Amino acid sequence: MKKLKAILVDDEFDSREILENYIKKYCENVELLALCGNIQEGEEAIKVHQPDLVFLDIEMPYGNGFDLLEKFDTIHFEVIFVTAFSNYAIKALNLSAAYYLLKPIDIDELVEAV
């Protein structure tokens, strides 16, 4: 089975670590290629790795997840938003998000999203 190449963008270290561990343990078909702490790192990692999937936080210092997506003319990857804020769901869905996960992450929902 071909693994999905993925990148994780979240400004909170603990959130990145928790999601990374969940993905490694419960989503065997996902290979995390980069863990990014801001949208600048995320943009660079997307350009370098050309992922199939991006796990993307919304609220981050110096820009949000939507700002990151706006840096690309065409989005050639699926986006799973991972956030503590439910009020962005409509905007995320309008941007064709594959899934919208609320923190704290429910493992069953994570598996379903992937």
Side-chain angles (χ1 to χ4, degrees), residues 15-108:
S15 293
R16 283 195 311 270
E17 191 171 69
I18 289 167
L19 185 53
E20 176 188 20
N21 289 332
Y22 283 177
I23 291 168
K24 286 180 177 179
K25 186 170 182 176
Y26 299 106
C27 303
E28 296 172 358
N29 62 325
V30 175
E31 177 184 8
L32 275 177
L33 301 175
L35 303 174
C36 307
N38 58 53
I39 64 171
Q40 292 79 19
E41 290 175 10
E43 179 184 11
E44 185 62 30
I46 289 168
K47 289 177 179 175
V48 168
H49 296 291
Q50 299 293 307
D52 302 306
L53 181 61
V54 174
F55 293 92
L56 183 58
D57 187 17
I58 295 178
E59 283 289 327
M60 293 181 274
Y62 313 111
N64 62 39
F66 300 119
D67 295 332
L68 173 60
L69 296 178
E70 288 174 6
K71 293 179 179 288
F72 297 92
D73 293 329
T74 307
I75 297 175
H76 296 288
F77 49 86
E78 295 292 334
V79 178
I80 296 177
F81 284 101
V82 184
T83 182
F85 303 96
S86 62
N87 55 317
Y88 294 112
I90 298 298
K91 185 171 183 178
L93 294 173
N94 287 340
L95 286 172
S96 302
Y99 215 90
Y100 194 91
L101 292 173
L102 285 174
K103 297 175 185 176
I105 296 169
D106 178 275
I107 293 168
D108 293 331

